[in-house]
Amino acid sequence: MARPRVPLLSRERIRDTALAMIDRDGLAEVSMRKLAAELGVQAASLYGHYPNKDDLLDDIATAVMSHVDTTGFDTLPWPEGLAAWARSYRSALVAHPNFVPYLATGPGRRAENLRAADAVHGGLVGAGWPPRYATMIGAATRYLVMGSTVGSFAGGFADDVQVYRDRYPHLNQAHLLRAVADEIDDDSFELALTAFVTGLSGTYATVVRTD
């Protein structure tokens, strides 16, 4: 009788399966034991590829951040480059909202995060922003992007009109928001990003002239 076939493991397969589990079940629900069961192997088999869960999560973070495009700083004026980076950053995170809390811990030593931070800072300084302002702009953009992906504002409303009727007269259309949550969330991000970049453009004129 043929021996049972053992699924071939690779770092990529382990990483992609773990990310799919995080997308499905949430970050807190994923363990090396549960991941091994999902892959049809023993937990010990995973440790030959990843020494621990933190190493696995860092590799997932690298994979997610590899989709963030910073090349706009090389080809576009800084306002357009900044907006392009923010949109690309948000797009990468929106695809995996359950993983955002892990990414929110900061660049650390992860190469992809540091590559993006270096490109953003260099692009802004190269455009004339003083280094301190470049740092603050990068941080502020990150806050904007992260905040827009942690949870859906529009999706948080109930679709039952009775929840709002009579008690909250200014929310008499709130029950309709859930059905168009993605659209509301996208448009809200664009509104905030446009206001942010427009405000920075005014600051730029003052800072570059006087600094």
Side-chain angles (χ1 to χ4, degrees):
M1 180 182 294
R3 298 176 63 184
R5 194 172 179 184
V6 178
L8 292 176
L9 287 181
S10 66
R11 283 177 64 92
E12 182 179 10
R13 181 164 179 253
I14 295 170
R15 183 194 67 214
D16 291 349
T17 301
L19 182 56
M21 290 179 66
I22 291 169
D23 290 342
R24 184 189 69 205
D25 303 328
L27 183 60
E29 294 300 315
V30 176
S31 66
M32 297 298 269
R33 179 182 58 79
K34 290 180 180 178
L35 175 58
E38 187 87 2
L39 288 162
V41 300
Q42 296 297 314
S45 301
L46 303 181
Y47 292 108
H49 300 274
Y50 290 100
N52 51 58
K53 182 179 176 181
D54 286 340
D55 188 54
L56 170 60
L57 293 178
D58 271 351
D59 197 29
I60 294 173
T62 294
V64 171
M65 289 299 296
S66 70
H67 295 287
V68 179
D69 185 7
T70 58
T71 58
F73 288 101
D74 299 325
T75 59
L76 299 169
W78 73 262
E80 286 86 348
L82 181 65
W85 166 56
R87 292 186 181 107
S88 174
Y89 193 1
R90 181 174 184 267
S91 179
L93 269 56
V94 163
H96 308 287
N98 288 341
F99 195 64
V100 172
Y102 187 81
L103 292 172
T105 58
R109 297 177 181 271
R110 294 191 290 269
E112 282 296 331
N113 295 64
L114 294 172
R115 176 196 62 78
D118 184 67
V120 171
H121 193 268
L124 291 170
V125 171
W129 283 101
R132 184 171 186 274
Y133 275 85
T135 298
M136 292 190 296
I137 292 167
T141 306
R142 183 171 177 273
Y143 301 150
L144 178 61
V145 170
M146 288 280 182
S148 73
T149 58
V150 170
S152 170
F153 172 77
F157 286 91
D159 55 11
D160 181 0
V161 67
Q162 298 302 326
V163 173
Y164 309 102
R165 179 173 289 171
D166 300 328
R167 296 181 62 193
Y168 307 103
H170 300 297
L171 298 178
N172 62 342
Q173 299 295 307
H175 65 288
L176 302 176
L177 291 176
R178 182 186 287 271
V180 291
D182 289 345
E183 178 185 344
I184 294 293
D185 292 340
D186 290 344
D187 289 349
S188 298
F189 173 74
E190 285 297 324
L191 176 65
L193 179 62
T194 299
F196 177 56
V197 175
T198 299
L200 284 177
S201 296
T203 302
Y204 178 81
T206 301
V207 169
V208 170
R209 185 173 61 246
T210 61
D211 197 270

